[in-house]
Amino acid sequence: MASSKVAVITGAGSGIGKAVALALIADGFQVVLAGRRGALLEQVKEEAQALHGAGERVLCVPTDVSDADAVAALFARAVETFGRVDLLFNNAGRGNPPGSFIDWTPQQWREVVDVNLNGMFYCLQQAFKIMRDQRPQGGRIINNGSISAHAPRPNSIAYTATKHAVMGLTKTASLDGRPYNIAVGQIDIGNALTELAERMTQGVPQANGEIAVEPTMDVNVVGQSVLYMAKLPLEANVLFHTVMATKMPFVGRG
């Protein structure tokens, strides 16, 4: 077994979170799966057992990250079960409300902010407390940013605003973690093929108003990218890591 470290993964029931969970489990991590839908978390645990015989190293904790008390309970369960937390993959997020922001309700705006920004902060805060106080001290936090942390898509103002804010969280937390041996970095992912990105294969609006099909990449590439970051010694940190479909329209004009 290559690792016995303990990881907490939010949004772990599907997509990127699931891919990362399976990559870490395959490498020997003990993994706490968090997400709103408990049935999906159990499916990931069953898959880990079938693939790697690793069910005893997986804990499922249904959690709404927009609820600060629920997040505190999640991290308490992690420590109670495995003794410490070495890694947080701060992944839970939600997409933009439909249509133009001109027509959104305040509640639609708040729902995105509550998960993508507030939820990420609550998880970051709890991880910091544990990593500061445990012995050996320290750990690693990897925030899931997005290509949208750098450049927006049309009609994405809530998602893009929160992902720009995540970049601020990452930079500041990377400074604040130094006294406690906590390394904080961010992965920005472009067009990994998940349910959320399936629409890319059907055509999505571009900056010039056209609708275009965009290239995608295997979501398991993201799992390997997070695993690479997770296995670095704490004296080293990847502050920002962009992994994307090679031909997606991110750099350049259009």
Side-chain angles (χ1 to χ4, degrees), residues 58-195:
V58 180
L59 173 67
C60 299
V61 185
T63 306
D64 178 357
V65 298
S66 69
D67 181 340
D69 291 336
V71 170
L74 162 66
F75 280 86
R77 283 283 308 281
V79 173
E80 177 185 2
T81 303
F82 294 124
R84 60 184 288 114
V85 174
D86 298 289
L87 173 70
L88 165 64
F89 181 43
N90 215 357
N91 169 66
R94 63 179 301 159
N96 224 55
S100 169
F101 73 89
I102 299 171
D103 300 315
W104 293 348
T105 65
Q107 180 61 25
Q108 285 177 301
W109 167 264
R110 283 194 298 267
E111 286 173 352
V112 179
V113 175
D114 280 346
V115 174
N116 292 9
L117 180 55
N118 294 342
M120 191 162 286
F121 169 76
Y122 299 147
C123 293
L124 184 79
Q125 183 183 49
Q126 291 298 322
F128 252 69
K129 290 178 180 179
I130 292 168
M131 292 173 179
R132 177 195 63 188
D133 296 339
Q134 64 192 4
R135 295 294 179 271
Q137 187 185 64
R140 186 177 302 277
I141 297 168
I142 302 172
N143 294 327
N144 188 348
S146 172
I147 295 296
S148 293
H150 304 273
R153 290 185 178 276
N155 295 324
S156 68
I157 197 167
Y159 184 80
T160 298
T162 56
K163 291 304 184 178
H164 273 65
V166 168
M167 183 179 288
L169 283 181
T170 299
K171 290 179 178 179
T172 307
S174 71
L175 288 175
D176 294 343
R178 289 178 180 178
Y180 311 117
N181 207 28
I182 299 172
V184 183
Q186 179 170 317
I187 186 166
D188 297 318
I189 302 160
N191 288 11
L193 189 54
T194 64
E195 289 182 12

